[in-house]
Amino acid sequence: MNGLQRMFGFRSSKRWVSEGRDASRRRDWTAAASAYREALSINPKLWKIWVQYGHAMKESGHLKEAEDAYRRSLQLSPGISDTHLQLGHVLKLKKDATAASSAYLQAAVLDPDNLHAFTELGALGWTKEEVIEIVDPQGRQRTKASIPAGRSEITRIATAGSPSFDAQAYVGRFADVRTLLDLGLISSAEQHYLHYGYRGGRDILATFADKPPTRVFVLCPSFFKRCGIGEHARYLADSIETFGLETHRVRTTAVLETYPPEQLRDAVVIVNHGPGLFDGYNPELSEGEATTDLITKLLALHRAHGLRPVVFMHSLLDRDNVIMFPRQQFWLESPIPVVTTIEAAGNVFNILRVEHGMQPAPTPVRSEKALNRRDRPVIGFFGFFQWGGKNFDALLDVVQRLKGKLVGSVATGSEYDVEKLRGLIADRNIQCNLGTGWVEDSELMQRLAEADYYYLPQHDYDHWNNSGTARLVMNFHQPVILPPHNPFLDLREFAIFADEHDLPGLMAWMRDEKVYQSACARAARYAAEHPMTVEMPKLAMSLHEVASETGARNFIDESAFSTWSLLAIPFEQFLARVRRRLPENALYYLEKTQSDSADRAAQIKTLKLDNPGKFETTYSAPLGIQYWKDHYEIDSFFFPRMTECFVNAYRCFLKREPSMTDRDKMIRILGVDLRDETAIAWPAKVVAMLALLHDEAPALEFAAQAQIYDQGELLTKTELASTALIETLEQRWVKRLKLCQDTATVGQPAFGTAQDRNIVQLLLLPGPWLEAALHASARAAGLDLNFDGIGARIGPLSRYQGIIQILERANVRLTEIGLFDRPIVSAINHARAQYSLADFWPLEGDAFVFHVVRCLLKRDPLTQEMFGLGELLSKQGKLAVIRQVAGRPFVATSVVDIADDQAAAELDTLLPNLELLVSQFRAVYAGGWDLRNAYLEARRNFDRVWLRMKKQKDVWWAQANGDVSRILPAKHAAGAKQGS
């Protein structure tokens, strides 16, 4: 056979292998066997495919053919333990116990850690001692190579004594697993269980439907103490009891063990967890029980009595908390379900989330108030007197400026705190009705009932917790005003976000009764939709349903719908992703196509043209750090540019951002200049980098090493070094890049998202784009307005006047159709691929750099990228930055006027007028509550990302000893003297 024939034969066998795998996933064993048979007729040396053919024949009931297939595979590759194991399975089905034992023993000899082989031998009557006598007659301590254990290994060892895994039952029980299989985001139910289901507590959750509990224990060390989490535990227990379940309140597992076995049997125990309540960290509030003892005891009670533990985490911490994070990680690696009320924490750690709910506190009848009562409003507040956490300056300032009254309660820790608080209030001459110390619910609610608004200012931070305080005041159905900060973000649909300096103006606007009632309605809606008596019983009754409904969310990101990903997957998965992206009533017929084919590329191009904004993403981009994820398809490590591959590999394997030292180490080993942002990736170098990181210790405490798969098959380090694999990946990569370029389309930008509705940010756009954006913003506000002709006006002042004239004729306020506020760095908009210089020009400095990279590359800037583009911005200006980013290889977005130097010069002259408009006419209530909240949250999120980037830059700057030439290529760093 000549080289050309071998090439075509190889491709043909791959096609049959792909069809066989698709059929296997559908459990169509006849079709799978037929496809594998065709592949083996072309290339009979594919030992892995002989195994797959054996599986298909076994599942079809053809045991003799299955046995022959496994033996043929062993002739080609005799040292594979798992193949001997599979041969043993089919021999056992043929009732040949002697031959099956021989096969299982050979599997154990080849891999003493093959727990399945030991289990099968035990089922056939072999004792452990008899097996060890044969497997390891000299008593050697056999260990695998010193590579960190992967998740699947750890899970298999931990569950060795459990019943065998039933994939069909697992998928039937958890609909999210079915969804992930259909979309091709996991390759099998076993893969999901090994990596996520075991440590997600799915074994325990699976029992909830079969054995609904009638009895619940709530365990909290600070029960009945002066502690916020202890108070929450009280509300939690009361809510579950109101729901109709027998409820017991305990502080430790020692108390739990005093209950008779019949009361523990099949009950649920909810651990109300706060970081300082265990291990004696807070001796006043804890009972001293160690985290290790608590987990051990809960699992022992589960095994002995079927008692089902659930851990309810009020706060989650990041890795910079070196004391608490390992303990938290120990919980997350356990087989106990962990639940939170915090949306962001649920995403970062892939844990279940339920809504916190409004506490069932007694609400006194509010007295009627006089007309114009809000001229001097009563503002309600309660919380701890913590100057570093609560923002008392903001609270006292707004009460003073509005000449209002402050009511509620401030929990103080000492008489000194009480005197300090009184002094602050007296200095500002503020009228108040405040309790101090710890007050009972009835007294607190009586004080708060007087308020017109509730304002709960708090400083921002990067760990995750939630505010029970904000939910408690929802009982009053009055406006709840919050800063757009971490504890409050989940209330975006119900509260009102505001900056402290905008608050007086906002409260003045709410003197209008209609506006005030619209704000009240938000709190009332939360109270109606999310009472704690509805939300908290989910912890005891329906967490399995929560897992089914929400468990797939973290797996489904924008990269799943990129052209790169859609080209790679089998047709059934491609069709499932298309259907998920389109509206439910969309009828879209697609002919079956092969992965990585021109026909598939043509389908994707048509989808882009027919569905603007739905399939715009061409290349996947590196995601942020996902602590929870430890299984990856090898294709997910490939991006067009090498620096992206490098950063992504560190985020996936080591769960951290790479430092400059890491980069320079890889430069030396790989021989690739990772300082060059334009350097194109090459699979051989990427795979070499993955092999190096494969040997690193697990990145997180108590966690396993990440594992790499190729189309569902686990890759070992040896296989990563395989020449055949690298050749296959290179062929796949080159072909897919070409197909991605073939799907490119040119269309007008799609407007209408919340981030397109800041009128200030639109005023510099090209005329037709401005008109389209204004039309979309009006439609989103439920208005039918005609803005034709506005785009022909020159300059933001003239355009602003024209918009006002149109709105005046329609009797519509500008603030009804959108925001009117300072331009900000918006979230990444994957629906848009075409831009103008005007999209970027209003921003300055780091914000400008972030915005350019987010828009054109659909990701955040990398650390060294911030240095390089910052240098370029300071030396050559904005246009140079845009051209540098847009001119990189494989950029799938465009800037229509990027070659127009005159347009850039004109934008410079127009910026002062734009600044004049926003400084004079900025409106703190424009756009309505939801749009305003979204704007403030997006601005806050960018601020936190920028702060994290600053820390990363500081690390690089220190490693470079303040020499930018050590960070950047010579072409960027020449002559540079300034620092970070």
Side-chain angles (χ1 to χ4, degrees), residues 34-140:
S34 177
Y36 288 138
R37 194 181 302 115
E38 290 291 342
L40 292 167
S41 69
I42 295 167
N43 187 352
K45 294 184 178 181
L46 298 172
W47 67 266
K48 288 186 178 181
I49 304 308
W50 279 111
V51 174
Q52 297 302 319
Y53 179 54
H55 293 342
M57 297 307 292
K58 181 181 69 176
E59 296 293 339
S60 302
H62 302 291
L63 301 183
K64 176 62 170 65
E65 290 80 1
E67 178 186 349
D68 292 341
Y70 292 137
R71 292 193 185 280
R72 183 67 182 274
S73 177
L74 289 170
Q75 289 174 4
L76 296 168
S77 187
I80 306 301
S81 172
D82 189 68
T83 310
H84 288 279
L85 180 72
Q86 300 302 330
L87 176 60
H89 290 340
V90 77
L91 291 168
K92 184 176 71 171
L93 290 172
K94 292 178 69 178
K95 311 296 185 186
D96 190 346
T98 302
S101 296
S102 177
Y104 289 138
L105 284 168
Q106 187 60 37
V109 168
L110 289 168
D111 181 6
D113 295 325
N114 191 328
L115 298 174
H116 290 293
F118 281 83
T119 300
E120 294 294 346
L121 287 164
L124 290 172
W126 290 73
T127 66
K128 183 178 180 180
E129 292 72 23
E130 289 173 332
V131 175
I132 292 175
E133 179 69 19
I134 296 173
V135 171
D136 197 7
Q138 298 179 16
R140 298 186 302 270

Side-chain angles (χ1 to χ4, degrees), residues 471-740:
R471 288 161 172 83
L472 179 69
V473 296
M474 296 284 182
N475 275 286
F476 295 102
H477 301 183
Q478 304 287 102
V480 178
I481 304 171
L482 307 168
H485 294 165
N486 207 325
F488 309 119
L489 296 179
D490 291 352
L491 290 172
R492 60 182 68 84
E493 296 178 24
F494 308 102
I496 295 165
F497 292 164
D499 291 328
E500 58 183 278
H501 55 269
D502 288 338
L503 198 55
L506 193 66
M507 287 187 177
W509 170 245
M510 282 195 282
R511 287 179 181 141
D512 181 281
E513 189 64 23
K514 183 178 178 181
V515 176
Y516 182 75
Q517 291 302 327
S518 73
C520 290
R522 296 171 73 83
R525 183 158 52 84
Y526 184 86
E529 294 177 5
H530 299 291
M532 190 178 276
T533 50
V534 170
E535 299 296 344
M536 289 299 99
K538 294 176 183 177
L539 296 172
M541 297 294 294
S542 56
L543 282 181
H544 60 298
E545 295 174 0
V546 174
S548 287
E549 292 167 7
T550 64
R553 288 180 185 171
N554 283 341
F555 293 82
I556 304 172
D557 54 59
E558 186 62 31
S559 65
F561 304 96
S562 68
T563 300
W564 181 272
S565 295
L566 293 175
L567 283 168
I569 53 180
F571 179 75
E572 288 75 14
Q573 296 168 3
F574 169 66
L575 189 59
R577 294 191 193 185
V578 169
R579 287 174 173 164
R580 187 175 185 88
R581 199 65 156 177
L582 297 179
E584 289 185 7
N585 59 354
L587 298 175
Y588 215 91
Y589 176 75
L590 293 169
E591 295 280 354
K592 185 172 183 178
T593 53
Q594 297 296 319
S595 57
D596 287 328
S597 67
D599 290 340
R600 176 70 60 79
Q603 286 179 325
I604 296 171
K605 186 169 185 176
T606 301
L607 284 166
K608 288 184 175 184
L609 293 171
D610 291 349
N611 305 278
K614 297 291 186 182
F615 300 95
E616 297 297 332
T617 303
T618 301
Y619 305 104
S620 299
L623 298 174
I625 297 169
Q626 296 174 301
Y627 287 142
W628 58 275
K629 191 168 185 179
D630 60 12
H631 103 284
Y632 299 91
E633 279 288 328
I634 195 164
D635 277 353
S636 69
F637 289 100
F638 294 109
F639 304 93
R641 292 166 289 275
M642 194 67 194
T643 50
E644 293 168 330
C645 299
F646 161 67
V647 171
N648 180 71
Y650 270 80
R651 289 175 179 174
C652 292
F653 269 96
L654 302 188
K655 304 302 181 188
R656 63 173 175 81
E657 295 292 336
S659 67
M660 194 188 83
T661 304
D662 296 321
R663 184 202 65 179
D664 292 347
K665 171 186 171 184
M666 283 297 175
I667 289 174
R668 290 192 302 271
I669 295 173
L670 300 179
V672 175
D673 189 0
L674 292 171
R675 297 177 302 171
D676 184 0
E677 300 288 350
T678 66
I680 297 173
W682 196 248
K685 300 294 186 181
V686 176
V687 172
M689 180 166 54
L690 297 179
L692 288 169
L693 294 179
H694 199 274
D695 287 348
E696 296 277 354
L700 302 177
E701 293 84 350
F702 309 110
Q705 181 58 289
Q707 292 180 322
I708 305 175
Y709 292 80
D710 183 20
Q711 298 178 350
E713 293 190 12
L714 182 64
L715 293 175
T716 65
K717 184 186 177 184
T718 302
E719 289 169 322
L720 279 174
S722 162
T723 303
L725 174 68
I726 293 172
E727 289 176 354
T728 300
L729 293 173
E730 288 179 348
Q731 292 173 14
R732 190 188 298 171
W733 190 78
V734 170
K735 183 177 183 180
R736 197 173 297 161
L737 276 179
K738 174 64 170 61
L739 291 172
C740 281

Side-chain angles (χ1 to χ4, degrees), residues 792-812:
R793 291 175 173 249
I794 305 300
L797 295 178
S798 176
R799 288 176 166 186
Y800 176 74
Q801 289 175 322
I803 293 169
I804 295 300
Q805 290 169 6
I806 291 171
L807 296 176
E808 179 187 351
R809 290 194 293 270
N811 193 26
V812 173

Side-chain angles (χ1 to χ4, degrees), residues 171-190:
V171 174
R173 178 72 70 199
F174 297 110
D176 60 314
V177 180
R178 175 77 273 164
T179 297
L180 295 174
L181 284 169
D182 291 343
L183 296 174
L185 297 173
I186 57 171
S187 59
S188 66
E190 184 184 38

